[in-house]
Amino acid sequence: MGKMAAALGSAATLAAEPGEDAFRKLFRFYRQSRPGTADLGGVIDFSAAPTARGARPGVPQVVRSQLSVCSVSESDALRAGLQPVSTWRAYGLEGYPGYQWHWVKQCLKFYPQKPNVCNLDKHMARDKDQDVWEQSKALLRCKEVTKRRPRSLLEKLRWVTLGYHYNWDSKKYSADHYTPFPSDLAFLSEQVAAACGFQGFQAEAGILNYYRLDSTLGIHVDRSELDHSKPLLSFSFGQSAIFLLGGLRRDEAPTAMFMHSGDIMVMSGSSRLLNHAVPRVLPSAQEDSLPLCLEAPLPADLPRDTVVQPCSVEDRQLCASYLKTARVNMTVRQVVATDQDFPVEAPGENERDIAQEGICHLEDKITHGKRVRLDPDS
Ligand code: OGA
Ligand code: MN
């Protein structure tokens, strides 16, 4: 309670600029928050014991929510690398995966490859010998992470799109720009969606976000999908972040919560179109350490039709070295309703009809000594 008062007290000292909204105010507060101080006292920690969370005025209570446990078989959970369904805990928003390395490796080694699209495509012609993973190996292995060492391609990777590739300029998906969605991620998503009561969810688009410690994701609503009755799934790995979940309108103050490695956030129903943002990725408590849950081993008795594969020691070491200063977030979306078609667009409509709000891609605080955050709000 005292902590919360302290946090809000500091937040309140931020000058309220004309037209400044409650969401932006807290976004700024958490962007400059100091780990290990009262700054983080108002951030909900789903991983903390319920008694430790307690009731705090102004902070929504975390409630256990029901999962459709019988919608997912134990064998399909195992195939997807998830713990037995009976052990999943949901707080309306969150669950828990088991073996995380498979997904981290996919995000770093395979998903950035063609035919998927990523932020590095614009700047360089990539061929087989120039793939992100291979090129980054030597640099990431080098122990002396001096300020001067060149950044590897992995460290320059900011986003990858899968399936229907999101167009950052038009803020739209299009029927013409589709490549097969990775089957392992589709399978994982189907299990999680089904457990939340969304049988028949189809993973059609993915946006993978690669955060460095100084990256932020601006305040936005994910409304580009054509069917908002389907949930949006978000999986987090690596360093923890502060996630702000606001209201339908920007003037509603958001709730701050930690997103730890292995957390799954499901935005569905009335929360599907809420404002949200990531103002802060937190450095690990001990320098260079990784969240303990990443150590969870792959079950010894993997089913023959498993979709998660064991990670080689070499691959895991490289993933670990990257994740020490990074957070990876995979978001999975169903774009169109089953049997729905993309609307036919009149020529030129794209240019005129750019939505006011849409997904923004994340930006570093400083690049080449210059502020380049695209989000005009931060
Ligand atoms: C997104 C998003 C949140 C996160 O990609 O649309 O909101 O936790 N990501 O990184
Ligand atoms: Mn989003």
Side-chain angles (χ1 to χ4, degrees), residues 207 209 211 217-223 225 232 234 243 267 272 274-278 329 331 333 358-360:
I207 298 179
N209 298 302
Y211 295 79
L217 181 67
I219 309 164
H220 68 281
V221 175
D222 294 277
R223 60 167 93 255
E225 297 72 28
L232 188 153
S234 159
F243 185 92
M267 293 180 77
R272 178 64 179 76
L274 297 183
N275 279 285
H276 56 281
V278 178
N329 170 257
T331 57
R333 306 121 193 277
I359 315 159
C360 31

Side-chain angles (χ1 to χ4, degrees), residues 29 52 64 82 97 228 246 268-270 278 281 287 303 308-309 373:
F29 174 73
R64 279 291 290 275
L82 295 161
H228 297 149
S268 63
S270 57
V278 178
V281 175
E287 204 171 323
V308 291
Q309 304 292 340
R373 219 179 285 129

Side-chain angles (χ1 to χ4, degrees), residues 293-311:
C293 59
L294 278 164
E295 303 307 328
L298 198 58
D301 51 348
L302 272 183
R304 207 175 318 155
D305 53 0
T306 177
V307 305
V308 291
Q309 304 292 340
C311 210

Side-chain angles (χ1 to χ4, degrees), residues 56-363:
R56 287 177 298 193
V59 180
Q61 275 284 83
V62 174
V63 289
R64 279 291 290 275
S65 86
Q66 287 302 306
L67 289 170
S68 314
V69 168
C70 49
S71 303
V72 179
S73 70
E74 294 299 1
S75 62
D76 279 350
L78 204 60
R79 286 176 64 201
L82 295 161
Q83 290 178 359
V85 192
S86 56
T87 67
W88 295 14
R89 274 179 279 281
Y91 306 97
L93 307 163
E94 192 237 43
Y96 229 89
Y99 187 71
Q100 299 174 31
W101 287 117
H102 172 80
W103 304 107
V104 175
K105 185 183 75 183
Q106 297 299 82
C107 286
L108 301 183
K109 188 171 181 178
F110 295 112
Y111 297 156
Q113 291 179 21
K114 289 270 171 286
N116 302 329
V117 178
C118 79
N119 67 299
L120 302 174
D121 293 342
K122 280 186 293 229
H123 306 293
M124 57 199 82
R126 285 187 294 149
D127 55 38
K128 270 195 213 73
D129 312 312
Q130 252 285 333
D131 84 65
V132 174
W133 175 264
E134 290 302 320
Q135 190 271 3
S136 304
K137 274 182 175 173
L139 284 169
L140 279 175
R141 280 206 201 103
C142 135
K143 279 260 168 353
E144 280 69 47
V145 189
T146 57
K147 287 250 157 62
R148 295 266 160 256
R149 99 148 150 70
R151 285 204 294 169
S152 61
L153 284 184
L154 262 181
E155 290 162 304
K156 292 180 189 166
L157 187 63
R158 286 296 168 271
W159 54 263
V160 168
T161 54
L162 312 169
Y164 287 114
H165 298 282
Y166 187 68
N167 182 322
W168 301 98
D169 299 319
S170 68
K171 301 194 192 300
K172 282 179 180 171
Y173 300 98
S174 115
D176 308 332
H177 199 189
Y178 177 84
T179 59
F181 193 95
S183 59
D184 55 350
L185 184 52
F187 186 76
L188 171 73
S189 304
E190 284 154 21
Q191 308 317 308
V192 173
C196 295
F198 295 93
Q199 285 77 14
F201 173 83
Q202 288 177 315
E204 294 174 331
I207 298 179
L208 314 179
N209 298 302
Y210 300 79
Y211 295 79
R212 310 298 308 165
L213 293 178
D214 59 0
S215 308
T216 65
L217 181 67
I219 309 164
H220 68 281
V221 175
D222 294 277
R223 60 167 93 255
S224 301
E225 297 72 28
L226 302 175
D227 180 6
H228 297 149
S229 72
K230 297 297 188 300
L232 188 153
L233 314 181
S234 159
F235 304 85
S236 295
F237 302 103
Q239 301 308 323
S240 300
I242 296 177
F243 185 92
L244 293 178
L245 184 65
L248 286 168
R249 294 163 34 146
R250 279 279 291 268
D251 56 8
E252 291 173 61
T255 299
M257 58 194 88
F258 288 114
M259 272 317 134
H260 297 306
S261 193
D263 283 351
I264 305 171
M265 159 79 106
V266 179
M267 293 180 77
S268 63
S270 57
S271 71
R272 178 64 179 76
L273 294 173
L274 297 183
N275 279 285
H276 56 281
V278 178
R280 186 87 161 99
V281 175
L282 299 162
S284 54
Q286 284 88 43
E287 204 171 323
D288 271 14
S289 72
L290 280 177
L292 277 177
C293 59
L294 278 164
E295 303 307 328
L298 198 58
D301 51 348
L302 272 183
R304 207 175 318 155
D305 53 0
T306 177
V307 305
V308 291
Q309 304 292 340
C311 210
S312 71
V313 173
E314 193 201 351
D315 285 354
R316 210 176 53 223
Q317 278 171 351
L318 209 68
C319 290
S321 135
Y322 172 84
L323 274 192
K324 278 170 184 170
T325 54
R327 168 178 188 257
V328 177
N329 170 257
M330 322 188 280
T331 57
V332 179
R333 306 121 193 277
Q334 175 163 348
V335 176
V336 286
T338 318
D339 301 328
Q340 183 187 12
D341 285 327
F342 274 92
V344 185
E345 265 171 27
E349 192 172 338
N350 247 345
E351 284 77 48
R352 269 184 285 116
D353 189 26
I354 290 176
Q356 283 301 302
E357 277 174 321
I359 315 159
C360 31
H361 45 79
L362 57 103
E363 285 297 332

